[in-house]
Amino acid sequence: MVLSTQRKDRHQMLAALFWLFLVVRRSGAVSRCVDQACSPPIGNLASGRTLFTFSGSSLNHGLCPHSPAAPLPCPENPHPSAHMTDDPFLNPDTWWASHADIEVQEQQDEIRLDLETKFCLSHVVLVFRSPRPAVMAIERSADFGKTWEALKLFAQNCSMEFGLPDDLSHPGSLCTSRYTSTTPCSKGEVVIRTLDPIRAKILDPYSPEALARLTLTNLRIRLLKAQTCPAPLEAAAEETNPRASALSSKLTTESSASVPYAIYTLLARGTCLCHGHAEHCVPHNNSKDSRQNNSMVFGRCLCTHNTAGDHCEECAPLYNDRPWRPANSTSGESNPCQKCQCHSHAASCHFSQRVWTASGGTSGGVCDNCRHNTVGRRCQRCRHGYHRHPSLPLNSPHACIRCWCDPRGTLPPQAGEEGHWCHPRSGQCHCKSGVGGTSCNHCMPGYWGFGEEGCKPCVCPNSCDPATGMCVDSYYNNQVFNVPFGGKIPELDQQFTIEEEWSKELAVSALHYTGKCSCKEKKLRSVLDLCKTKHDYVIRASVLSAHDKGSHAEVQVKVRNVFRSGQVALNSGTISIYPLSWTIRGCTCPILNPGMEYLLAGPEETGTGRLLVTMQSVVVAWTPRLGVLVSEGLRKGCP
């Protein structure tokens, strides 16, 4: 069943492309729809379609009433309904004639045009061979015949027939006495417009108000009361067609003498309904309509302006960032649908009024079924368990990669979550206590015993073996150190080769030589100490690394929180701070240990804007309790 549906859809798509190719090839011109409103050409909606005629309760559409199984024209009826829609220039002597089963004046006939979809009707023209009816109604339906609405009523006496005033004396009335005279006896016309000429000049035909009047699916003409011609019909026939053959004159006389209604031409001028978003139309039902003649007005639009649907009545699947609107014929604005920003991770989107309102009327599209492990209104985030690839653009199908979190060192996922969470940008997993690394796969400095319970803190004055927890007392033959500041600078001449100059950046561990330098660190007794000293900056930071620059020391820290800042604007991220003084005193106090998190408070260096760490600075190991005290104290303000 699914394969059958797919084949049908593919067939319809190929047929539509074929029709579009023919249309473009024939036109040989640039589309009129580029950046402006457009509509398909107008034609006769009745051309190529069957007109059904009714006489009382009987139905006649050109087939033999006594032999419904045989689809052959009735030989007894030389004037079928199809003659109303043939070319009047090629076939000037053909017409439809009604049946005369009862007296002429009492007979009521009906002509009906049933369309396969919605169209726009501009006007209707009837050319009668018989005298025009004394009473007639032209009606339309926009719901395939469920309900009907009168487009115009015709009567010699509107008040008596319909209880309405005549529009000759009351402009705008639905009933008129126009086109109801008995003369001319033949070739009398009846013309109506769906929009009166005055309103048509100022009303946009694509507006809802106009379409409510123009749209139809069925057209019905009810011939309610016939009238006879005061002049002999034979004379009128000879005058209108003096070159007709003797046989034709005989048929004319015989046919007209007994029929109340006869019509040369029925013209229902209109076009397919496209709301100003299409220039051409193709058959609505390819298997049926494609066999019709070339003059037929087709019903399915070839939509432009990023619209879709048989009538371009909706936005295309990926173009719902703004509400759908018809084009504006008055101003020429095309009002195209806008594409949703889904970063190539979705094939469709839908419009949300709530999102549209929240954005101030700028964007309301919500992407559907984000692919490539993305989520979000615009597929702009990686879903749970994935994070952004650091070097690929957001629209890459591989922009989101799986989080690689060691289950032993990562906190378990919360209820309802599938897999471990990691930071959507950095890929950092949620580590257990004492565990470090992006994937939470090893112990942090000062911890040991990596396992299911995380890592345990070292019970050593300096550090311990990360596997056994044994204290480390000697660092024999260590050449490169990425460790804390504090203590005496080692004798580097014995540690490095001759080619390694002092000017090079070297990460040096002063804690390896702590015996010759002691630091009297400033204690933080209360938050009032921060107020008394009036530090330029107060931050919470993690120490990443320490370097000797030759003339000064530099420590890289990652700022976690900013409680106070001076001239230097501080934000979360990696910055450098400068302990005083590495070269003059031979020590850096207070001690800053990489891998540790501190509350730091100190001055700024005038001119350079550097953040300094001096003997008056506050360097206190961070704890949650300390965070609460500092936040509350600084929020209340200094006395």
Side-chain angles (χ1 to χ4, degrees), residues 321-367:
D321 199 45
R322 293 185 178 181
W324 175 89
R325 291 189 297 166
N328 190 311
S329 176
T330 304
S331 65
E333 295 180 20
S334 57
N335 295 331
C337 293
Q338 297 297 319
K339 187 176 183 179
C340 296
Q341 176 56 276
C342 296
H343 300 98
S344 302
H345 298 307
S348 66
C349 62
H350 66 273
F351 178 78
S352 169
Q353 185 62 46
R354 180 184 61 82
V355 174
W356 176 259
T357 303
S359 70
T362 58
S363 175
V366 178
C367 302

Side-chain angles (χ1 to χ4, degrees), residues 313-575:
E313 74 279 12
E314 61 189 15
C315 289
L318 198 57
Y319 292 82
N320 284 284
D321 199 45
R322 293 185 178 181
W324 175 89
R325 291 189 297 166
N328 190 311
S329 176
T330 304
S331 65
E333 295 180 20
S334 57
N335 295 331
C337 293
Q338 297 297 319
K339 187 176 183 179
C340 296
Q341 176 56 276
C342 296
H343 300 98
S344 302
H345 298 307
S348 66
C349 62
H350 66 273
F351 178 78
S352 169
Q353 185 62 46
R354 180 184 61 82
V355 174
W356 176 259
T357 303
S359 70
T362 58
S363 175
V366 178
C367 302
D368 301 323
N369 304 317
C370 293
R371 301 170 297 179
H372 310 140
N373 302 307
T374 61
V375 293
R377 181 170 79 87
R378 295 178 173 175
C379 303
Q380 77 279 17
R381 302 194 311 271
C382 295
R383 71 182 181 94
H384 177 85
Y386 290 79
H387 69 94
R388 281 286 306 278
H389 192 291
S391 60
L392 293 179
L394 182 55
N395 61 357
S396 168
H398 308 291
C400 291
I401 56 179
R402 187 181 294 276
C403 298
W404 293 108
C405 300
D406 192 317
R408 295 174 299 169
T410 307
L411 291 173
Q414 298 181 2
E417 294 181 348
E418 297 181 3
H420 294 285
W421 179 92
C422 71
H423 193 279
R425 288 198 171 272
S426 66
Q428 175 65 55
C429 302
H430 269 175
C431 298
K432 295 177 181 177
S433 176
V435 179
T438 303
S439 300
C440 303
N441 58 355
H442 62 264
C443 290
M444 293 174 59
Y447 291 83
W448 70 281
F450 177 72
E452 296 293 339
E453 301 299 324
C455 295
K456 292 169 282 191
C458 296
V459 288
C460 301
N462 299 319
S463 186
C464 66
D465 186 284
T468 65
M470 296 182 63
C471 297
V472 178
D473 297 324
S474 174
Y475 290 83
Y476 179 72
N477 270 344
N478 277 355
Q479 297 297 319
V480 179
F481 311 95
N482 184 13
V483 287
F485 272 73
K488 185 65 178 177
I489 301 174
E491 298 295 333
L492 294 179
D493 292 343
Q494 299 178 2
Q495 297 290 329
F496 299 97
T497 61
I498 298 175
E499 290 80 9
E500 292 176 313
E501 299 293 338
W502 174 258
S503 60
K504 292 184 178 180
E505 294 187 13
L506 301 174
V508 184
S509 173
L511 285 185
H512 295 177
Y513 305 88
T514 58
K516 298 180 182 179
C517 191
S518 61
C519 292
K520 294 181 180 180
E521 298 181 356
K522 185 177 179 63
K523 302 295 183 179
L524 182 65
R525 292 168 296 181
S526 69
V527 180
L528 292 177
D529 291 347
L530 296 176
C531 297
K532 292 177 181 178
T533 310
K534 298 188 182 300
H535 298 285
D536 292 329
Y537 69 90
V538 180
I539 60 175
R540 170 195 171 193
S542 301
V543 179
L544 302 178
S545 61
H547 300 275
D548 171 33
K549 299 293 187 177
S551 61
H552 62 280
E554 183 175 339
V555 179
Q556 282 192 334
V557 300
K558 185 166 187 178
V559 178
R560 303 292 185 182
N561 297 98
V562 178
F563 301 105
R564 179 189 296 169
S565 61
Q567 298 296 323
V568 179
L570 296 177
N571 297 294
S572 297
T574 302
I575 64 171

Side-chain angles (χ1 to χ4, degrees), residues 194-205 207 209-210 213 330:
T194 50
L195 291 177
D196 62 80
I198 297 177
R199 294 187 64 199
K201 292 180 180 179
I202 60 175
L203 189 63
D204 178 12
S207 65
E209 181 184 358
R213 184 69 176 168
T330 304

Side-chain angles (χ1 to χ4, degrees), residues 253-319:
T253 303
E254 293 175 354
S255 300
S256 302
S258 59
V259 298
Y261 308 111
I263 298 176
Y264 280 119
T265 300
L266 166 59
L267 184 64
R269 296 282 290 176
T271 183
C272 51
L273 173 61
C274 300
H275 297 93
H277 292 306
E279 185 179 7
H280 302 288
C281 291
V282 296
H284 182 263
N285 185 338
N286 293 304
S287 62
K288 178 182 177 181
D289 296 342
S290 57
R291 297 194 300 266
Q292 305 292 346
N293 60 50
N294 293 332
S295 62
M296 185 174 181
V297 178
F298 298 123
R300 184 157 61 90
C301 308
L302 292 176
C303 299
T304 61
H305 306 151
N306 305 319
T307 59
D310 287 349
H311 306 291
C312 308
E313 74 279 12
E314 61 189 15
C315 289
L318 198 57
Y319 292 82

Side-chain angles (χ1 to χ4, degrees), residues 179-232:
Y179 312 117
T180 59
S181 172
T182 56
T183 57
C185 293
S186 185
K187 292 191 176 181
E189 292 185 347
V190 175
V191 180
I192 68 165
R193 297 180 182 272
T194 50
L195 291 177
D196 62 80
I198 297 177
R199 294 187 64 199
K201 292 180 180 179
I202 60 175
L203 189 63
D204 178 12
Y206 309 135
S207 65
E209 181 184 358
L211 290 177
R213 184 69 176 168
L214 296 172
T215 304
L216 86 164
T217 57
N218 309 77
L219 180 68
R220 184 167 70 181
I221 301 170
R222 293 195 296 138
L223 310 173
L224 301 177
K225 184 179 292 186
Q227 55 186 344
T228 57
C229 183

Side-chain angles (χ1 to χ4, degrees), residues 74-299:
C74 298
E76 298 83 1
N77 181 16
H79 307 293
S81 61
H83 285 176
M84 284 186 281
T85 59
D86 59 11
D87 192 322
F89 296 99
L90 298 178
N91 304 283
D93 299 322
T94 59
W95 67 89
W96 164 78
S98 66
H99 293 282
D101 297 330
I102 52 180
E103 293 186 10
V104 172
Q105 282 78 7
E106 300 298 326
Q107 179 160 336
Q108 296 185 1
D109 278 52
E110 181 179 310
I111 304 168
R112 198 171 81 188
L113 171 64
D114 295 332
L115 303 171
E116 65 277 9
T117 187
K118 291 183 178 181
F119 287 81
C120 287
L121 178 70
S122 63
H123 57 279
V124 177
V125 177
L126 292 168
V127 180
F128 282 83
R129 186 180 185 279
S130 66
R132 290 172 293 191
V135 182
M136 180 176 64
I138 299 180
E139 302 166 325
R140 62 140 190 175
S141 172
D143 54 11
F144 299 96
K146 295 179 181 178
T147 60
W148 293 89
E149 176 191 4
L151 290 175
K152 201 69 178 178
L153 303 174
F154 301 85
Q156 292 178 343
N157 189 326
C158 287
S159 177
M160 183 178 67
E161 299 292 346
F162 298 108
L164 295 172
D166 194 331
D167 70 354
L168 293 179
S169 57
H170 293 77
S173 176
L174 189 61
C175 183
T176 183
S177 59
R178 291 187 181 92
Y179 312 117
T180 59
S181 172
T182 56
T183 57
C185 293
S186 185
K187 292 191 176 181
E189 292 185 347
V190 175
V191 180
I192 68 165
R193 297 180 182 272
T194 50
L195 291 177
D196 62 80
I198 297 177
R199 294 187 64 199
K201 292 180 180 179
I202 60 175
L203 189 63
D204 178 12
Y206 309 135
S207 65
E209 181 184 358
L211 290 177
R213 184 69 176 168
L214 296 172
T215 304
L216 86 164
T217 57
N218 309 77
L219 180 68
R220 184 167 70 181
I221 301 170
R222 293 195 296 138
L223 310 173
L224 301 177
K225 184 179 292 186
Q227 55 186 344
T228 57
C229 183
L233 188 59
E234 292 81 1
E238 291 177 3
E239 292 177 6
T240 57
N241 190 15
R243 292 176 294 177
S245 65
L247 178 60
S248 176
S249 299
K250 181 180 179 181
L251 288 174
T252 299
T253 303
E254 293 175 354
S255 300
S256 302
S258 59
V259 298
Y261 308 111
I263 298 176
Y264 280 119
T265 300
L266 166 59
L267 184 64
R269 296 282 290 176
T271 183
C272 51
L273 173 61
C274 300
H275 297 93
H277 292 306
E279 185 179 7
H280 302 288
C281 291
V282 296
H284 182 263
N285 185 338
N286 293 304
S287 62
K288 178 182 177 181
D289 296 342
S290 57
R291 297 194 300 266
Q292 305 292 346
N293 60 50
N294 293 332
S295 62
M296 185 174 181
V297 178
F298 298 123

